[in-house]
Amino acid sequence: MAAEYEGKLWMVALIAWSQPPIAWVRTLTVRSPLRPTEGLPLFLSALRRSLVALHHARELYVMSDQFDVVWLRPALLAFGFEAVVEVIGYEKHALFIPDWGDTTLQVRRATSADIAAIAKVDAAAFATEWVKSPLLLSQALAFATCYL
């Protein structure tokens, strides 16, 4: 969805659906010099109406990180969004297996035949907004093929 005025794009949001009726704002861009507090409420209202009308989305999530905590998070909180979870992650700098661990456990590359089982575990392990569809999981196999 995009907000345009006088032939210029002022805001753009890229939306993804991992598990309907939940929608995720994957990217949100605001053109300078517009401040998020100036245009965001109107833009998000229109975005929510469109998602409900066109895609039957009932919940809208935005992932926030250290880069937007100053400018975006306060605007979202003021608009009525709630902080649901804080995720602490790490960055792996090398692609080696640090320890083979329990040798009775078999680690192998996942195949398309494993998607149904992986999706079942994913759905049981995570809250609905974090669950990935079998289609997304199958696409992820090209990049991360090791599952336990």
Side-chain angles (χ1 to χ4, degrees):
M1 180 172 186
E4 182 181 339
Y5 179 70
E6 293 183 349
K8 294 180 182 178
L9 287 177
W10 287 92
M11 290 188 182
V12 175
L14 299 178
I15 308 299
W17 290 264
S18 59
Q19 201 68 4
I22 294 169
W24 282 88
V25 175
R26 293 292 183 203
T27 303
L28 180 64
T29 303
V30 180
R31 182 186 178 118
S32 180
L34 185 66
R35 292 187 310 231
T37 52
E38 295 173 331
L40 202 54
L42 182 62
F43 184 69
L44 287 175
S45 292
L47 179 62
R48 280 184 173 169
R49 284 192 308 275
S50 293
L51 290 173
V52 169
L54 300 173
H55 305 285
H56 308 290
R58 291 193 315 264
E59 297 180 47
L60 180 62
Y61 287 84
V62 178
M63 186 174 292
S64 176
D65 60 23
Q66 71 271 18
F67 301 109
D68 61 37
V69 71
V70 174
W71 69 272
L72 180 60
R73 193 176 298 184
L76 291 173
L77 292 172
F79 185 68
F81 277 78
E82 299 175 24
V84 176
V85 66
E86 292 286 334
V87 176
I88 299 172
Y90 70 95
E91 184 175 334
K92 188 171 181 178
H93 296 283
L95 296 177
F96 64 90
I97 299 172
D99 183 4
W100 286 102
D102 186 347
T103 56
T104 60
L105 181 68
Q106 178 188 8
V107 178
R108 63 169 174 79
R109 292 196 179 277
T111 67
S112 58
D114 299 314
I115 294 297
I118 294 169
K120 191 173 183 179
V121 170
D122 190 59
F126 296 102
T128 306
E129 65 268 19
W130 299 107
V131 173
K132 302 296 182 261
S133 70
L135 176 62
L136 284 176
L137 289 170
S138 66
Q139 293 170 344
L141 285 182
F143 302 100
T145 59
C146 290
Y147 287 89
L148 298 178

